[in-house]
Amino acid sequence: MKLTNQQIAYVNSDIQSFEIKWYELEVELTDHFISIIEDVWDKNQDLTFYQAKELAHQRFGKKEYKAIEKQRINILQKEYNRTQRKELTDYLKFPKIVMSILALILVYKFSFYFESTVSYIKTLSIIVLGLNFIHMMIWLWFRKVENERFLALEMTFRMTNSVMLGFYGFLVMTKDYLAIEYALPIACFLFVVTIAMILTSYHLTNKVFISIKKQYQLT
């Protein structure tokens, strides 16, 4: 038995009581819960809407929602990692491989303008840290689409932030734990890879943003 628009609105209000932060999960769970109610009602049409809803609640509640949210996060993390690996492999193909090598040489050449390797690596680390700060500001500004928060967009920002902080840590370690003759080329390599990952991350974020607006018809 199909629910009326008024009943669907009631279900949506009920789902919102779960305090769901993510709009796409709210939409998905609302559709899922409506399907459960309709299934319960089809099997026993003598029930009222409210009785069918209560029986549906026994099959699906906040605990199930948390499990679905956790599962979705894991899926998004895997999708992000897989897509970013694919994007990064493009930098190993012509013509991007040439650009990557030139960038590495250029970053290495810039070290000649610094008094010491340590000071140059510190500068590279500060640049990465600065980019991370800019990234955080962008995230705070664009974290919502039409005043709604989306898990897919949030996860993309989180993963990008983790990557940037991770490579910042690696850069800092090169000057502290590696012999000076190895520290510079490794730091330059890490810096170029970090920039490549940042570029791919922003590209992925933009794709997710556009996909969300299109899928949920947000302007």
Side-chain angles (χ1 to χ4, degrees):
M1 186 178 294
K2 295 294 183 182
L3 302 189
T4 65
N5 290 336
Q6 185 178 4
Q7 289 168 338
I8 290 173
Y10 186 90
V11 171
N12 186 55
S13 177
D14 191 48
I15 291 294
Q16 288 176 349
S17 70
F18 287 11
E19 298 180 354
I20 300 171
K21 292 192 296 184
W22 318 113
Y23 183 76
E24 70 264 51
L25 286 187
E26 182 181 313
V27 172
E28 181 180 334
L29 292 173
T30 300
D31 291 341
H32 185 61
F33 196 53
I34 287 171
S35 297
I36 294 176
I37 294 174
E38 290 175 345
D39 181 59
V40 170
W41 219 348
D42 283 337
K43 291 177 180 177
N44 190 348
Q45 297 187 8
D46 292 331
L47 296 173
T48 65
F49 163 71
Y50 298 102
Q51 289 173 329
K53 185 180 75 68
E54 288 305 314
L55 288 173
H57 261 307
Q58 295 176 14
R59 292 168 53 179
F60 186 86
K62 291 185 179 181
K63 184 178 180 181
E64 287 74 16
Y65 157 66
K66 291 297 182 183
I68 289 176
E69 182 182 40
K70 183 178 180 180
Q71 183 182 37
R72 176 59 68 87
I73 288 173
N74 290 334
I75 291 172
L76 288 171
Q77 285 177 333
K78 290 178 181 178
E79 287 181 354
Y80 178 90
N81 290 332
R82 182 173 61 252
T83 306
Q84 189 171 65
R85 282 196 298 269
K86 182 179 180 298
E87 294 277 345
L88 283 173
T89 55
D90 288 342
Y91 285 90
L92 301 177
K93 300 176 183 177
F94 186 83
K96 286 186 177 181
I97 183 64
V98 177
M99 296 171 58
S100 300
I101 293 172
L102 289 175
L104 181 58
I105 294 172
L106 186 63
V107 171
Y108 183 81
K109 290 286 187 181
F110 265 113
S111 67
F112 299 156
Y113 295 97
F114 288 77
E115 293 182 359
S116 67
T117 297
V118 172
S119 63
Y120 184 58
I121 294 176
K122 282 183 178 179
T123 301
L124 295 180
S125 303
I126 291 170
I127 291 173
V128 172
L129 198 61
L131 290 172
N132 184 68
F133 177 77
I134 294 172
H135 172 263
M136 290 297 296
M137 293 300 101
I138 293 173
W139 173 68
L140 290 173
W141 187 263
F142 293 104
R143 64 189 301 194
K144 292 185 179 181
V145 182
E146 294 298 312
N147 210 36
E148 298 288 353
R149 295 181 65 182
F150 289 83
L151 180 59
L153 196 58
E154 185 87 5
M155 287 304 301
T156 304
F157 275 115
R158 285 184 194 175
M159 296 294 286
T160 304
N161 190 58
S162 298
V163 166
M164 294 171 74
L165 288 177
F167 275 91
Y168 168 75
F170 285 138
L171 278 169
V172 172
M173 288 172 62
T174 57
K175 69 178 179 60
D176 292 333
Y177 296 102
L178 294 177
I180 202 70
E181 63 268 25
Y182 300 116
L184 181 58
I186 291 175
C188 292
F189 173 77
L190 287 173
F191 182 78
V192 171
V193 172
T194 303
I195 297 302
M197 294 194 76
I198 290 171
L199 292 174
T200 58
S201 296
Y202 281 129
H203 175 63
L204 293 177
T205 301
N206 189 52
K207 286 175 65 175
V208 170
F209 186 83
I210 293 173
S211 175
I212 284 172
K213 294 187 72 173
K214 183 178 180 181
Q215 181 178 353
Y216 296 96
Q217 299 180 350
L218 300 171
T219 57

